Amino acid sequence: MEIYKSKNNLDSMVYVRPSQLAKLLHLSRTTIWRLLNAFAAEEGNEHAVIEISKTLKLVPLYRFQEWLTKQDKKYLQK
């Protein structure tokens, strides 16, 4: 599995493709896309997902994992 690192070491971000994210988290592609859309819609994450081309998107792994952790049991608060 290829993992992409940013060239600047300011935040040492690691980027993965959505398909790699699905494998890492053992989730379906549909679930990953739904989560990515919710992740990108949140304030501060508008430009987090990098679209290199029509078929290649990169997701900051640690930032996504932090966001996903914050979503834990949020559905119960509604």
Side-chain angles (χ1 to χ4, degrees), residues 3-6 11-16 59-63:
I3 295 180
Y4 306 94
K5 290 189 179 185
S6 64
D11 53 0
S12 66
M13 287 282 209
V14 175
Y15 293 89
V16 294
V59 180
L61 181 61
Y62 297 125
R63 193 165 167 187

Side-chain angles (χ1 to χ4, degrees), residues 9-78:
N9 277 338
L10 297 175
D11 53 0
S12 66
M13 287 282 209
V14 175
Y15 293 89
V16 294
R17 294 176 176 179
S19 60
Q20 294 169 321
L21 199 54
K23 288 178 186 175
L24 284 171
L25 299 175
H26 303 284
L27 297 171
S28 70
R29 288 183 306 140
T30 306
T31 301
I32 290 297
W33 284 113
R34 188 172 54 242
L35 289 172
L36 284 177
N37 286 335
F39 171 68
E42 206 166 278
E43 188 174 334
N45 292 336
E46 298 91 3
H47 303 291
V49 178
I50 301 171
E51 293 189 37
I52 303 294
S53 69
K54 196 159 74 168
T55 59
L56 177 59
K57 295 182 184 198
L58 297 176
V59 180
L61 181 61
Y62 297 125
R63 193 165 167 187
F64 182 77
Q65 285 178 324
E66 287 175 359
W67 174 83
L68 195 58
T69 303
K70 291 177 187 174
Q71 302 307 307
D72 185 32
K73 297 184 183 174
K74 221 175 193 183
Y75 67 95
L76 294 174
Q77 297 173 358
K78 292 182 180 182

